[in-house]
Structure formats: C-alpha cells, structure tokens
Amino acid sequence: MTIARVVVDAPLAQPLEYALPEALQAAAQIGSCCVVPLGRRQVSGIVVALTHSATVDQARLRAVLRVVDEVAPLDANWLALTAFSGTYYQHCWGEVAVPALPPALRTPPGPRFLASLQRLRQREVGAGHAATDGAAQPAFALNAEQCTAVEAIDAAVGFAPHLLHGVTGSGKTEVYLEAAARRLARDPRAQVLLLVPEINLTPQFEARLRARFPHAGVAVLHSGLPAAERSAQWLAAHEGRARLVLGTRLAVFASLPQLALIVVDEEHDASFKAGDGVRYSARDLAIKRAQLARVPVVLGSATPAIETWAQAQRGRYVLLRLAARAGGGAQGQVQVRMIDTREDPPQQGLTQAVRTALQAALARGEQALVFINRRGYAPVIACEGCGWVSQCVRCSTFAAYHKGDGTLRCHHCGWQARVPRACPTCGNVDLRAVGHGTQRIEEALADVLPGARIARLDRDSTRKRHAARDALDAVHAGETDVLVGTQMIAKGHDFQRVTLVAVLNADAQLVAPDFRAPERLFATLLQVAGRAGRSGRASEVLVQTRYPTHPLLAALAAGDYVGFANQQLAERESAQLPPFVHQALLTTEARVMAHALGVLGAARDAAGDAGVVRLFDPVPMPLERLAGMHRAQLLVESRQRAALQAFLVGWLAQVARIAAEHRPRVRWQIEVDPQQI
Ligand code: ADP
Ligand code: ZN
Ligand code: ZN
C-alpha cells in the first residue's frame, strides 16, 4: 500500500498519513496539492512524502480524496523552505505551507476547477511572454561602483549573500535590474525574485522593472490583490511564464522552480516581518531560500538593519558600497541643522526657524516636506478642569483627536467615538487638544503660509485606493507647495523641487526604551532627509529637538550611517543584545492580567534549569491592554541559536499544555527574533 504523508493547515507536529488509492497513484508526487479528510472536513494539503510504511495501523488510515494534478507539484526547494520556516518559527510545516498557496489552491477545488485554472492562466502577466527575454537597455552606463557591484553579484556562484549599501538615489535599483538582466540572459528559464516593503507607495519600482523587461513576464504578488489575480500571478511564477516576481513579504514563499537570484530592497524595513500568525521575517527567509536554492541574494538599503550590518562586518555577507548619488546632473548640497526647541520653542508645533525657512523656500518657488510621525489632529485631548484625558476604552493608551470628523480614535485597535462636548468626569466644556498630529500641523501651515498649496499624506488621507500615489504625483507635478505627513512622505518619488525638509518631532523616539528605536529613527530620518537635494540647488533639513547634540542626530547630520551602525553594534555587544544574543518572546493574552502573567509564570517554572538559555521574568507588555485583552510577555534568550531552538521545542509543548489546562483560557503566541520587546 502506498502511503502519502500530507501537511495541512493545522497545528500538527507531524505530517498526517493517508492511504493513496490505486487510482491516484499515477497522479500523486511529492509536492502535489491534494484534498484529504480532516475530522469531518475536507481540506487542502500538500504531499510531502510517499512511502510504504505507516507509523500507525494501516487498516485505519483514511484515504486521499483527490490529487490536484492539474497543477505541477511544488519543488523540493519550496518544500524545504516551508519546512524550515515551520521549524525555525516554532509552527507546523502545514501552517506555513498551506497558507502560502494561492487562494485557488488553498481550498479544495470545485467542479469547474480546470476551467477556472485555464482562465487564470490566460490572464496576462506583465507585457509579454517567457519565450522572449530581451531586456531593454538602460539609458545610461552604470558608474564604476555600480559596475563593481553588478560584477560581484554576477560572478557569484551558489549561495552568496551580498549587502548593497547606498543612500537613496545612489543607483541600487539599477544594480538590481542589471544583475537580474544578466541572470535572465544566461539561462532562458531563470527566474528572479524581488522583494520590496510596499508596492503601492513605490509604483515606479514596478514601472522600471516592466520597462526594463518588457518581454520577460513580471508577476506581482502582494496582499492587496483580489484572490483571482493573486492566483493568476502565483501560477505564472510557478509555471515559469513569469521570469520576474516582484512582491511584498508574502512573495518570499512564491513558487519559483528556476530561481536564480533574490533581491530584497530596503531590507531594514519593518514590514518584512509578519505581524501575526507565523511571525516570519521575509528578509531572513530570503537568505535561507537563497541558501537552499544555492543562488546569490542581494540585500539593499541606505540604512541596513544592525543585524545585517553585523553580518557584513563579520564577512558573512559581501559588502558592496555605492557612495555617491547616481542620477547625474548637479547634486545640491544638503545641510542638516538642529533647531534647539529649548531656545526656539515651537508655536503650533513649528519653531520660528522652521517658519522662516518654509516662507523662504516658497518665496523662491521651491517645495517643502514637513514630517511628523503622528496622524490625527492631536494625540490626546484633555480637560483643563480636572485633568481627564482621552483614552481608548479597550487599550491602555490615549485616544487621538481627529478634527475632520470630530472623533476620538485609537490608533492601536481602531476604536472610535464622538468627541464629547464636555468633560465626561467634571462637565467642563473647555477641552483642549494637546500635542500635534499631521492634521493640526496642516492647519498651522495654512496660517503661516497664506495662499500656499498644502497637502497631507498619512494613513487617514490615503484610505482610498491610489490616494497616496495621487498625493505624491501632485508634489512631483509641482501642484503642491508643502506636503505634510508621516513617514509615508519618505517613500516614493524623486521630488525635483524639494529644497526643505522639516522634522518636527523626533524626540519621542530618541528617548524610547526599545533598543531598536535608534536604528528605526535613524533610518526614517535619513530617508526623509534624502528627499531634499535632488533639485541641484542648496537644500536644508531642519530637525526640531531638545537634544541637538545627541550622537544619533550628529551622525544623521554627517550622513554617517557606518559610524552610527558601528556605535550601535558596540552598544549591543556590551549590553548583550541581538545580534550577540538570540531571542524569542512568549506572549499571552487574557481578560485579566493576572491570568496572562500566571500562565507565563507557570511556563517559566516548567522550564527548570534551561542551561545556556536564559528566561526573564514575565512582565506586562508595553501596551498592556489591547482591544480589551491584557497582555504579558516572557523573554527567552541565548547566545547560542541552536540551544535556543532546541529548548523552545520541548518547552513550547509544555507551554501548550499549561495554557490548555488553564481556566479561563489564555491565548499564547511565540515569536522568534522579536522586533519589538
Ligand atoms: P536607488 O535605488 O539607490 O534609490 P536608483 O537606482 O533609483 O537609486 O537611481 C536613482 C536615479 O539615478 C534614477 O533616476 C536612476 O535612473 C538614475 N541612475 C542610476 N544609475 C545611474 C547612472 N549610472 N547614470 C545615470 N543615472 C543613473
Ligand atoms: Zn474634567
Ligand atoms: Zn484601542
């Protein structure tokens, strides 16, 4: 009897065993999608092994119901990648593999499956077909540094990780495109995977890719696509019609049988880390995937993650540098100036220095960007009389004031309510907005710059599809004088006429307790600052701060990522923080904090002597209550990754038992390599 081992989307430590009926034997291969019974349901699964021996009584095995042989099996590298992800992130293989399938394969096929597959296959991917591969030539020759980078990537044989470090505009994208072109030219079936943090904000990346490879077939994968579109794009990659796949983090699991090169642009970006479910890092998995497929991988960034920088410093990644801005033409000088808010206290959020600079830039017919990392009108409203402040009823956090529609909103859980007419505790009608958000700054700018065309870009202004793109296009077209926004303004276009960037409030993050806060802040500020200086004229970046001599700001002013990164690495080494230790975070949530902490306490006790693995005390999470649930965390770390991994396997089985036996129920989650602690 042939037995199929099948993974399904369920928390099962081992693949399930099913009998493979005679009639299905010809169709079934390792990697085939299939339909199997699970309890009283029928579910999609993937055959991961075919054997003749079962670990249980063969007579009691249930049978595979259908093999989906209309679609070619997934290859060994894909299976290995999903298996690794399950093990590494402490989930089950099937919990990674099945959700990674496109919508059309994730559920058992219906009666007209083949017809719908054919329709998906006919959808156009990119502009052309895989049969032709001629890449269009770029309009310019690569500069010396770009050539060196391309040659290095091109010469790499087998698994070879590279870090391409260069500021925005230094020509990294041209390096990716040329390296991809060479791989595609060398092997008529080769495929290239390009991961980007966000596709909607960077439509020009896709446009450049399509322009460069008009005939190669470009599949695009991100979570915003309708189900049928996502299935069509996935199939095009799986079946080789797409030679290039451009996608967000989920695309790291695309099926690419002829994978020849992986590129991760903006590799430091937090969006590569999945926020729920299996908390994988697409950047880290891209490295693993390249290793499994024995191909080169390029991580590109102006501000590499400190972990990535450490790998380059240790010589594990080849470091490639683009020191100068490409693009040709005159590059204007960019001056970064700190505005000491103790000497020049902001009025309506704006210091006198910033006001003056804005007025001057507009008088010269130039544009300005104003960055404030807070949306809404004000982060909180308060009662002058009794000290009441607006808070989310479900979270341990303030509720922000949104003036346009007169609401209080929680930026964590989405809770909203009308702004009260009077203080809910004392009845006082003098409620005051405290602090500044993008909306309030927009209002202040209108006061300071009468007649100026001011636009705002943040999550609220971009609820409609294409709104972000339209706002950026308007700046590009010169229809906007001042764009105020959150870090969304940092991405996207080359703004030709921006000569002033004002950073209003970086101090909160400057003093944040999270050890990764500095690297995030540095990355954001450098990116925001990078929006100036494209015009060929002198440009200025003004940073309002109480800490004008802070080393991070000094490094920013000098554009000195390397100095900043090395100093961060030294600090992390002396404090024994990642990458010098490896961490995992166990979190629980319950209606009552005592229960959330109780389960963690029991989990900690159950660990006993964990050897080289260190367990910290359970503590409430920084955002203690979220959407009505109390949350707690327990940090586990070790200098040895293998020891941590081995420990987690046994310990999490105990944690599962402890949580299951606890009354009332407590939900728990494990995150390996947590990014926020
Ligand atoms: P990055 O990806 O590092 O932000 P890009 O590759 O987008 O940089 O390059 C920035 C700009 O410079 C683009 O408009 C690009 O077309 C142009 N560019 C890149 N390399 C060269 C080059 N060697 N010569 C002329 N222009 C270039
Ligand atoms: Zn009051
Ligand atoms: Zn809330």
Side-chain angles (χ1 to χ4, degrees), residues 140-143 146 166-176 208 265 322 326-328 494 534:
F140 42 75
L142 295 183
N143 64 35
Q146 287 172 314
V167 295
T168 310
S170 60
K172 296 186 296 297
T173 307
E174 289 305 324
V175 171
Y176 310 146
R208 279 167 76 180
D265 189 31
L322 303 182
D494 260 356
R534 304 300 176 85

Side-chain angles (χ1 to χ4, degrees), residues 502-517:
V503 176
L504 300 191
N505 177 12
D507 287 356
Q509 279 146 293
L510 213 47
V511 296
D514 185 342
F515 71 88
R516 284 194 181 87

